[in-house]
Amino acid sequence: MTQPVTISTQDGIATVTIDNPPVNALSQAVRQGLAQAVQQTEADADVRAVVLLCAGRTFIAGADVREFGQAPQEPHLPDVIDMIEGASKPWIAALHGTALGGGLEVALGCRFRLAVPSARLGLPEVNLGLIPGAGGTVRLPRLVGAPAALEMIAGGKMVSADKALSLGLVDRIVAGDLTQAALEFAKGEALETTVEPLMARDVAQPDSNAWEAQKAAIAKRARGQNSPLAAITALENALALPADQALAKERELFFQLKDDPQSLALRHIFFAERSAGKMLRLKGVKPRPFDEIGVIGGGTMGAGIVAACLLAGLRVVMLERDDDSLSAGQERVQNTLAQSHKRGLIDADALARMQGNFSGATDYAALGTADLVIEAVFEDMAVKKDVFTRLDAATKPDAVLATNTSYLDIAEIAEAVADPSRVLGLHFFSPAYIMKLLEIVHPPKVADDVLATGFALAKRLGKIAVPAGVCDGFIGNRIMSAYRRECDYMLEDGALPQDVDAAMRNFGFAMGIFAMQDMAGLDIAWAMRKRQAATRPADMRYVDIPDQLCELGRFGRKTGAGWYDYSSDPKGAPDALVEGIITKASADKGITRVPLSADEIMGRIIGVMQSEGRKILAEGIAQSPEAIDVVMVNGYGFPRWRGGPMFMAGME
Ligand code: 3H9
């Protein structure tokens, strides 16, 4: 095996290069190589300074998270960083790509840090249920101050090179060749300037009121998560204790968190998100090109998909049935782009480019040059089939045709096209330009390169793609229907909507199922239930409470009332009328109502998610339990730090 760390020396400057694809993670071999590099450069009298850089697409992206399941192996990262910081010759970190976690901690052990303009820096350990474990919580506040350090460590977000410069986290941004600039810096400024190692510096005490407010805001945001709270403790230690003691405490906290179920769950979902989208059958399959996208429908979903594509730099034609609908759809898209500009996500040039890439039409002929068309029209089989028949006539014979249906049979829709192998499902979540999840639904006849195009589009849009087979609701909506049914049963058994919603929020969902239905509107599901009434098995338990609400015109927030009453409280207040309907429903069925505890409620919800998940796996609808977890976490508000229902099943 080639060495992941190599050294070359020229003109008194040693260049230490880490080459450990894909992201230069700090595996045992890399740590070993770095420790040897310190020894070798210290022993070489010709070496006056050391440049540390990485080959490939990025600087070190952190510790090798795959090693966390094993006993730690020497040399340990804090010791390696200690050696770098204690070296008699200055080390200069040359950053490109992402300098993250242990990678940034290595850079903090160096005397100087240079970065290319596109570099991003961060301590994202909190996203894995951890805190930095190699000095980050002690060195960073000594460099940028405790408030900025706490923000970075507890928030886990990356900062740009510009921001890093303004914080003092990097010494210089270098345009042009990074290696060359770092070598020149090493020969000049690095030798002329004496700076103290960070561990030897004092840390400034922050303004106490602002500090308390910052900590309180972070604790509130944590909502049940342990690692942001541990970050606060670590920063408090950094302020109160000598550096070496704070470092020892940081290490203790890091090890505690590493074994915490929350960290196991977050690491599970991190890797699940990266594996869920891989399909064996697509290995080596080339996607079709997709420069021009057509989107049919300018409603909330269609406009959201258009915006997502434009923001990713694609050309898009929106098709609507008439001029009025088209201009309404176009306005939705323009508003989204304008918002992105206002929030600083895109600059004026990018906005103008995206607007230039956007056109609208009411005639299918406008889709004649599109490479990929996504249909997002009304959820009705006849309407969808009509759209696909028209698409068959209007599009290039090799154009990929996608439906955004949430539950209809895509195999049946595909039969409206002469060549059904070019049809697949792309199930976006609303708002489509924000939500990360994309279910890629593969009907039996879909061609491999068509499917591969779906995944390539997901990548281009920055989405997490999960393949799903055809069934009613695919992965996510099918599980949601199952557990929503269970929640309706619980209403008849003794719970009230506010009990179920409180239990779900307490578990970590941002919102309970009944509040969510009020937000989405109760009428669509009502219409679906009416359509399904004829085929519903006669022996199936059926709860008609939501139907009764709809019959009263209570469709949720948009009508001022649904499961909750919004007339006096915009957040929704429990309603005696609803309680009356529920208790009567129990009585009518002869059910003695027994109050349910939060644990019982969550036990039933998670139990149903898991049993439906097992069915989905057995039927081959989902490829793996991980895929189900990724869907539930990214599309249905399942708390990330619990890892997903299938992960929880494995932990029992
Ligand atoms: C830490 O550092 C603790 C220390 O404080 C203390 C230690 C004592 N380890 O995401 P991608 C793999 S905790 C192992 O698709 P991108 C990933 O699984 C760590 N593997 O690429 C994938 O593998 P595969 C703190 C890792 O360009 C491949 O690399 N650091 C690691 O979209 C490509 O990844 C973090 O939390 C890792 N650390 O994004 C950073 N990172 O090809 C986590 C990635 O087999 N990483 N892999 O599926 C990231 O945020 C993104 O991967 C990154 C690249 C932005 C770097």
Side-chain angles (χ1 to χ4, degrees), residues 22-23 25-26 57-58 61-66 68 77-78 98 100-103 105 120 123-125 128 130-134 158 251 254 270-271 274-275 278:
V23 294
L26 290 156
R57 66 197 217 217
T58 181
D64 190 335
V65 180
R66 292 188 197 275
F68 285 1
L77 188 59
T98 46
L100 298 178
E105 290 175 298
R120 285 176 301 156
L123 291 170
E125 284 87 344
L128 299 174
L130 300 166
I131 59 165
M158 296 189 231
R251 193 103 181 114
F254 175 80
F270 175 84
F271 286 113
R274 282 154 182 82
S275 66
K278 291 183 180 144

